[in-house]
Amino acid sequence: AQSVTQLDSQVPVFEEAPVELRCNYSSSVSVYLFWYVQYPNQGLQLLLKYLSGSTLVKGINGFEAEFNKSQTSFHLRKPSVHISDTAEYFCAVGRPDSGGYQKVTFGTGTKLQVIP
Amino acid sequence: GAGVSQSPRYKVAKRGQDVALRCDPISGHVSLFWYQQALGQGPEFLTYFQNEAQLDKSGLPSDRFFAERPEGSVSTLKIQRTQQEDSAVYLCASSPRENTEAFFGQGTRLTVV
């Protein structure tokens, strides 16, 4: 079984300040890791993903995340946030299934509020 | 359209009523997923289709939930005798082939009163 923990339900941050959204996972097998963003009244959009290789992953909108296997973490970071980054962010873990698809487990989400 | 389309966007059902939620995936996408997102929670996996075959329905919460994709394109999630605990946003996602990025629709918000 796999699980994802996002400890922070809400993160307020001033515009142009850096931000880190925390994500920890547990799994008994190798997994894929994702961050999705959900803007109000919109569907989930993939920000970035880690499948293998370099542990530092760069995504869209200036976000990046680092896979840390020893700490089972995949924290999301951005050096300078904009008002438009206000949204809910979901960390997710996917496990390749024998059926050839990814069974994805999502965290409970972190609401990022950027303050002008 | 260019993205995954779900209809209706909002549905209010009286307890005990049957509902049908529709998902139009991106044209040509082989894989299709349904997720349930309760208020304040992350999405939870319901079921997966590869073309018309339902390969995994382990996430369906009860036998009142039924999903189909008869021609390998449009999918319908049906909930019979709706209960208040069924109130949630139902998300559909599709991907072009196995183990690739899934694209999500905007979801259908179901409220059971």
Side-chain angles (χ1 to χ4, degrees):
Chain A
Q2 56 201 33
S3 66
V4 179
T5 302
Q6 292 181 250
L7 289 173
D8 305 309
S9 60
Q10 293 190 50
V11 173
V13 61
F14 286 104
E15 192 175 15
E16 298 183 5
V19 69
E20 178 180 85
L21 305 184
R22 298 182 293 168
C23 173
N24 288 87
Y25 70 94
S26 66
S27 176
S28 57
V29 298
S30 296
V31 295
Y32 301 153
L33 294 161
F34 308 86
W35 275 98
Y36 284 87
V37 61
Q38 188 173 37
Y39 298 103
N41 296 316
Q42 294 191 27
L44 291 163
Q45 181 182 2
L46 183 67
L47 269 181
L48 49 79
K49 60 185 176 186
Y50 171 79
L51 304 182
S52 64
S54 173
T55 58
L56 182 63
V57 180
K58 294 188 182 297
I60 62 171
N61 301 340
F63 284 93
E64 64 180 32
E66 185 156 19
F67 170 58
N68 188 319
K69 188 174 182 179
S70 63
Q71 297 187 3
T72 61
S73 67
F74 191 55
H75 301 331
L76 181 70
R77 303 185 183 100
K78 186 169 182 178
S80 175
V81 295
H82 300 143
I83 293 290
S84 59
D85 293 323
T86 295
E88 190 159 19
Y89 292 79
F90 292 91
C91 181
V93 57
R95 166 177 68 80
D97 192 89
S98 57
Y101 64 97
Q102 294 178 26
K103 198 162 185 175
V104 178
T105 300
F106 287 84
T108 52
T110 298
K111 291 183 179 177
L112 174 63
Q113 183 182 6
V114 180
I115 304 165
Chain B
V4 177
S5 178
Q6 293 188 245
S7 60
R9 288 292 314 281
Y10 304 92
K11 175 69 179 178
V12 178
K14 291 184 178 179
R15 191 170 54 183
Q17 187 178 356
D18 297 350
V19 298
L21 312 180
R22 177 187 170 103
C23 172
D24 281 90
I26 295 172
S27 178
H29 278 198
V30 168
S31 299
L32 186 144
F33 305 81
W34 282 99
Y35 287 84
Q36 180 190 57
Q37 186 176 15
L39 189 63
Q41 301 296 316
E44 292 192 1
F45 173 85
L46 292 177
T47 187
Y48 166 73
F49 288 87
Q50 190 176 98
N51 296 306
E52 69 279 3
Q54 188 175 22
L55 298 188
D56 188 336
K57 53 183 180 180
S58 61
L60 296 176
S62 78
D63 58 8
R64 296 186 295 104
F65 286 71
F66 172 76
E68 60 182 7
R69 193 187 186 197
E71 297 179 358
S73 178
V74 171
S75 177
T76 304
L77 177 66
K78 297 179 179 178
I79 308 173
Q80 296 177 326
R81 305 181 303 282
T82 51
Q83 304 295 315
Q84 281 192 315
E85 61 263 27
D86 300 335
S87 295
V89 175
Y90 290 85
L91 296 169
C92 177
S94 70
S95 63
R97 54 191 178 280
E98 299 87 353
N99 288 320
T100 55
E101 176 188 347
F103 296 85
F104 283 80
Q106 292 179 287
T108 294
R109 183 178 296 277
L110 172 66
T111 303
V112 181
V113 298

